[in-house]
Amino acid sequence: MTTIEHRFVEVNGVRLHVAEQGEGPLVLLLHGFPECWYSWRHQFGPLAEAGYRVVAPDQRGYARSDAPEDIAAYTMLHLVGDVVGLIHALGEESAVVVGHDWGGPVAWTTALLRPDLVRGVAGLSVPPRRRGPVPPIPALRSAFGDGFYQVYFQQPGVADRELAEDPDTTFRTLLYGASGDNAANTSPSPWMIPEGKGARGFADVPDGLPGWLTEEDIATYVREFAEKGFTGPLNWYRNLDRNWELTAAWADAVVRPPALYVAGDRDMVPALIGIDELKAGLPAIAPDLRGTVFLPGCGHWTQQERPAEVSQALLDFLNDL
């Protein structure tokens, strides 16, 4: 079996770093915040061995990929454009697009806007959602206050600096804090940043690491983020209201390609929506929903916390296409 290979691809004037393994139909794996290609480390082997070409980019702003300075360069249309450009740059006509966390909305929106290029779409943690009646940041501020993490991230330079002050503690705290191993997530609640505690303040620094996360993993994330830092990734959040404006034309559109949704039952994202409500509403947004998988005891870092289960769910979905 070939090892993971790394290279750079020029897409829409931005140089993206990609990790790649295997040959066959293309499967794009899109990471979330604050992650990179490495978050899919457990999926490369199983998917490649099953006969798929697995490609995980560092999306724009992250890790080894270019990070444009302009906040407005991180809209959803830019991000979907990168996926479309990447499919073409890889010499393919279509792909199955899989996204976790922020990668989920990118995957779902790519399937929404370019169903001709998407053989199937899978979202981990973040489900497809209809465009709301009002911009998201005022709605989130009204519902949860200024301490809600997505609201807190809006001010340029603040969370950027706080997360970069001690990257080792940042990754240690965020990865543990949102995981199923954190006892506080037995009943998931909104990720809130207490006043004066900074961007890492939604959880305490753990005494040790959960079994799915190693010291080598932490060191890898620190190394991958060492050059670019956190500003590019945070700029994705700073376009939430702009995305709402730009996507008005697709307010009532549905995701047509075959779809899969996977999440942990200790993940704040589906918990805020309500798992029963989420299950009931998914088929209306994704009419060709092939499966909904909830992983007991799993938190937000789906493919890292439950690598075998996620890989198997993806393979079942891929082989059914």
Side-chain angles (χ1 to χ4, degrees), residues 69-89:
E69 292 186 10
D70 186 2
I71 291 176
Y74 296 87
T75 73
M76 184 58 68
L77 297 185
H78 286 90
L79 304 176
V80 170
D82 288 346
V83 176
V84 171
L86 186 56
I87 293 172
H88 294 321

Side-chain angles (χ1 to χ4, degrees), residues 225-291:
F225 276 70
E227 180 181 352
K228 301 283 173 47
F230 295 87
T231 296
L234 288 167
N235 282 342
W236 289 40
Y237 290 95
R238 293 163 186 156
N239 278 281
L240 284 170
D241 284 352
R242 188 177 283 113
N243 290 337
W244 182 84
E245 295 175 0
L246 292 173
T247 55
W250 298 278
D252 298 317
V254 298
V255 176
R256 296 295 180 187
L260 169 71
Y261 177 68
V262 182
D265 66 0
R266 293 188 176 184
D267 185 348
M268 183 273 291
V269 176
L272 279 188
I273 300 168
I275 290 178
D276 291 339
E277 178 185 344
L278 177 55
K279 288 180 178 178
L282 275 173
I285 306 173
D288 196 4
L289 184 68
R290 303 286 178 92

Side-chain angles (χ1 to χ4, degrees), residues 2-262:
T2 59
T3 58
I4 299 174
E5 298 180 351
H6 297 263
R7 61 189 175 106
F8 290 90
V9 178
E10 190 81 15
V11 172
N12 302 321
V14 175
R15 194 175 75 143
L16 298 180
H17 163 252
V18 299
E20 180 175 2
Q21 185 175 5
E23 297 180 354
L26 177 62
V27 180
L28 286 181
L29 304 177
L30 307 177
H31 64 79
F33 175 90
E35 300 170 292
C36 61
W37 71 271
Y38 186 74
S39 71
W40 300 102
R41 60 195 177 278
H42 302 298
Q43 281 68 51
F44 279 97
L47 270 60
E49 289 169 9
Y52 295 97
R53 181 185 184 187
V54 185
V55 176
D58 290 336
Q59 298 193 77
R60 68 165 60 199
Y62 280 84
R64 306 185 208 179
S65 290
D66 284 351
E69 292 186 10
D70 186 2
I71 291 176
Y74 296 87
T75 73
M76 184 58 68
L77 297 185
H78 286 90
L79 304 176
V80 170
D82 288 346
V83 176
V84 171
L86 186 56
I87 293 172
H88 294 321
L90 294 171
E92 302 284 355
E93 296 182 354
S94 64
V96 175
V97 185
V98 182
H100 167 255
D101 183 78
W102 253 114
V106 178
W108 294 119
T109 309
T110 302
L112 180 74
L113 303 186
R114 292 303 304 271
D116 56 314
L117 297 178
V118 178
R119 294 179 52 238
V121 57
L124 278 55
S125 175
V126 180
R129 298 287 286 168
R130 294 205 184 276
R131 180 179 179 273
V134 297
I137 292 303
L140 291 170
R141 181 177 283 113
S142 175
F144 304 115
D146 290 336
F148 186 64
Y149 76 108
Q150 294 186 24
V151 178
Y152 187 86
F153 288 170
Q154 294 304 304
Q155 187 173 346
V158 177
D160 321 41
R161 181 184 65 255
E162 293 167 347
L163 294 174
E165 284 173 349
D166 183 353
D168 182 275
T169 301
T170 291
F171 286 107
R172 202 172 292 270
T173 302
L174 268 59
L175 291 172
Y176 168 77
S179 75
D181 298 85
N182 182 356
N185 293 329
T186 302
S187 298
S189 58
W191 296 332
M192 303 296 295
I193 297 173
E195 186 174 355
K197 286 205 169 185
R200 295 192 301 267
F202 87 99
D204 296 327
V205 181
D207 294 329
L209 296 177
W212 57 271
L213 187 64
T214 69
E215 292 292 341
E216 181 181 355
D217 296 333
I218 297 291
T220 298
Y221 278 119
V222 171
R223 186 167 58 249
E224 293 288 342
F225 276 70
E227 180 181 352
K228 301 283 173 47
F230 295 87
T231 296
L234 288 167
N235 282 342
W236 289 40
Y237 290 95
R238 293 163 186 156
N239 278 281
L240 284 170
D241 284 352
R242 188 177 283 113
N243 290 337
W244 182 84
E245 295 175 0
L246 292 173
T247 55
W250 298 278
D252 298 317
V254 298
V255 176
R256 296 295 180 187
L260 169 71
Y261 177 68
V262 182

